[in-house]
Amino acid sequence: MTTDEKQIEAQQEAKLFFSRFLLEWYHLQKRDLPWRRHRNPYYIWISEIMLQQTRVDTVIPYFNRFIEQFPTVEALADAPEEEVLKCWEGLGYYSRARNLQHAAKQVKELYGGQVPDDRDAVFGLKGVGPYTAGAILSIAFNRPEPAVDGNVMRVLSRYFLIEDDIAKGPTRVKMEKLAAELIPEGEAGSFNQALMELGALICTPKSPRCLPCPVMEHCAARLVGCEASLPVKTKAKPPRPEERLAALVEGRGEHAGRVLIRQRPASGLLARMWELPHWPAPPAEAGGARGALLPEAAALDRLRRSMSQAGIHARPEGHWMAAEHTFSHIVWTLQVYRCREEAALPLAAESRAVYGAAQAERGGRPLGGADGPLSAEAGAVLAALGAQPAEDAPLALFDSGDAAADAADSGAQRWINREDMKNYAFPNVFLKLLNSYFDEQGT
């Protein structure tokens, strides 16, 4: 037998060993997870979408609530988007929920409400990529399709000593081909879950637990002592920091006991979700630390002008707290200021017309625009309200990254108390801020 033939035989032996002992370990050690108690493809689909970028312990209560509220594909397809987002609230990555509902409508319209078991059909669903499609087809229908995510690539990189960069497309293709070769006949669902389980519990990113690993005997990385350095992965570009000023506007009179919230644009970042009004902070001094407070006067002036242009009649009173929200590409550091609602100043007819036109042009031309300069009376009233003179650049109501959507959206506003929060879906950072505020108020 030649050297090459011996290597091929050893590789095949390692594959058979891996598949056999991994599957035996899984059947003995697998966790009791709610989506594993059924072969319902809809439940499996929901769980796999929720588990993207999210820990199992976090997902379990969300999964249980979600299938209780939307027990079938049709129930999800027919639900108002606001209800779906509210049920997803706090889980993050909200485009997953929107894509999931869009795909549910596809399944209802194209497949009679039954999740298809055809590979092309599953791949055609909104938000379903190669991993999710493989998971649905293998776990729900026992199709021999690979389901390769980060956990699986880590396990395969270590066991087979693959030093290719897993952030690159060709490496994923290579991993998918290898994973497909490892699937034992008739055991696709259990095997793919076993791979995921091993990566989640034993072959972890840091400090892998080699001793209880069922396949340690033939793990090539362990045998040469480099298991901790695999997989190879190019570091992603760090998210861009953004300092923002947020207004916690406390109501007075008929709004007493309530705070003001606004709705984000219909598309773009955190689409249609609710939040405290906030805007980019003015540039900080060079060398300032991230998250450091801006000079009080500059922050309050920017916040006052931003609220005025958004039609919010309130006066900033002082810094309340800081908070942070991390996206894949941005990190918001929010400096939150308590603000007091104030009655709108009465406007003369001319001033009201000019101010109304300016409000309709939020994010567009400077006040005054093509119709000529403001009268002295109009300019004085607008200055009292904190509006900008024509030579200043206008402050955008939103900056979601989609300028057309931002300009077209008026930013609906509501006054809410704690009880009202159940009717609106908030990103996690604003949910925490509102709960902290109402806790302080004892409501």
Side-chain angles (χ1 to χ4, degrees):
M1 183 180 291
T2 66
T3 301
D4 287 347
E5 288 174 335
K6 289 180 179 179
Q7 289 178 342
I8 292 172
E9 183 177 350
Q11 185 83 342
Q12 188 60 29
E13 181 184 350
K15 289 179 179 179
L16 292 172
F17 179 91
F18 182 88
S19 299
R20 174 188 169 187
F21 285 94
L22 178 62
L23 204 53
E24 288 182 2
W25 169 82
Y26 176 72
H27 287 312
L28 291 173
Q29 303 292 336
K30 65 180 178 180
R31 290 173 290 179
D32 178 21
L33 302 174
W35 46 87
R36 287 180 176 166
R37 299 168 191 166
H38 313 271
R39 293 293 289 271
N40 185 325
Y42 172 63
Y43 290 178
I44 292 165
W45 177 20
I46 298 295
S47 71
E48 290 299 336
I49 297 296
M50 287 186 170
L51 285 165
Q52 294 170 8
Q53 306 292 325
T54 312
R55 294 173 57 86
V56 167
D57 291 346
T58 301
V59 165
I60 290 173
Y62 279 94
F63 173 82
N64 289 332
R65 284 196 299 269
F66 199 90
I67 63 171
E68 181 179 357
Q69 188 164 348
F70 312 112
T72 64
V73 170
E74 291 90 342
L76 177 57
D78 294 341
E81 183 182 277
E82 291 76 11
E83 289 185 13
V84 177
L85 290 175
K86 186 65 180 177
C87 198
W88 202 273
E89 183 182 69
L91 200 53
Y93 299 94
Y94 293 94
S95 60
R96 294 183 296 175
R98 294 189 184 89
N99 289 342
L100 185 58
Q101 186 177 34
H102 185 282
K105 292 177 180 178
Q106 289 179 277
V107 172
K108 179 185 175 183
E109 294 167 4
L110 299 177
Y111 308 109
Q114 300 299 312
V115 178
D117 63 355
D118 175 76
R119 188 175 187 273
D120 291 338
V122 173
F123 265 96
L125 299 177
K126 181 81 169 177
V128 174
Y131 166 76
T132 305
I136 294 170
L137 290 166
S138 63
I139 299 171
F141 303 110
N142 209 25
R143 294 290 184 87
E145 294 283 346
V148 175
D149 66 354
N151 276 338
V152 170
M153 286 196 283
R154 183 169 61 256
V155 170
L156 297 182
S157 291
R158 289 170 175 170
Y159 186 82
F160 292 99
L161 194 55
I162 299 171
E163 297 178 292
D164 301 344
D165 186 348
I166 65 169
K168 298 185 180 299
T171 305
R172 173 176 284 277
V173 173
K174 178 179 180 178
M175 295 284 194
E176 289 173 347
K177 182 176 183 295
L178 175 58
E181 294 173 357
L182 295 170
I183 298 173
E185 185 175 354
E187 293 279 8
S190 293
F191 179 78
N192 281 344
Q193 290 181 92
L195 259 177
M196 301 171 200
E197 195 90 330
L198 189 70
L201 301 181
I202 302 293
C203 200
T204 51
K206 296 179 180 179
S207 303
R209 300 168 55 217
C210 293
L211 286 179
C213 177
V215 295
M216 65 171 289
E217 184 178 335
H218 286 278
C219 178
R222 185 192 67 82
L223 291 172
V224 298
C226 68
E227 67 275 8
S229 63
L230 291 176
V232 174
K233 184 178 181 181
T234 303
K235 289 187 177 180
K237 185 178 178 180
R240 180 182 76 254
E242 282 191 7
E243 301 285 335
R244 304 185 72 83
L245 304 178
L248 181 78
V249 183
E250 299 174 290
R252 297 293 182 267
E254 64 177 318
H255 299 142
R258 297 175 182 271
V259 297
L260 186 70
I261 60 170
R262 72 174 181 189
Q263 189 173 33
R264 292 191 61 81
S267 62
L269 191 67
L270 300 173
R272 298 190 64 183
M273 300 195 74
W274 293 82
E275 62 184 2
L276 297 177
H278 59 100
W279 297 270
E285 294 182 8
R290 178 176 155 220
L293 282 176
L294 292 160
E296 186 83 358
L300 295 181
D301 179 64
R302 172 58 69 94
L303 196 55
R304 175 183 58 80
R305 292 192 297 115
S306 299
M307 289 191 293
S308 178
Q309 188 164 344
I312 300 171
H313 304 291
R315 178 178 298 278
E317 296 193 325
H319 186 264
W320 178 49
M321 69 164 58
E324 192 171 276
H325 191 63
T326 302
F327 302 93
S328 58
H329 61 301
I330 302 172
V331 178
W332 282 349
T333 298
L334 296 160
Q335 300 296 349
V336 188
Y337 290 80
R338 290 177 82 150
C339 306
R340 178 184 295 270
E341 182 191 12
E342 293 188 333
L345 293 176
L347 298 179
E350 178 189 4
S351 308
R352 186 182 301 112
V354 173
Y355 188 68
Q359 290 293 67
E361 293 281 333
R362 292 182 187 128
R365 298 191 305 272
L367 299 181
D371 297 327
L374 306 183
S375 69
E377 178 192 10
V381 174
L382 289 171
L385 287 170
Q388 297 162 273
E391 63 268 18
D392 284 351
L395 299 173
L397 178 62
F398 290 103
D399 58 345
S400 70
D402 185 338
D406 294 347
D409 201 287
S410 63
Q413 299 172 358
R414 299 284 187 276
W415 290 97
I416 65 162
N417 58 25
R418 176 166 243 163
E419 179 65 19
D420 296 325
M421 287 176 63
K422 67 178 184 293
N423 300 318
Y424 302 92
F426 298 93
N428 209 32
V429 63
F430 295 105
L431 191 66
K432 291 178 179 178
L433 286 168
L434 286 166
N435 279 323
S436 294
Y437 172 76
F438 288 125
D439 284 346
E440 280 187 9
Q441 304 306 302
T443 59

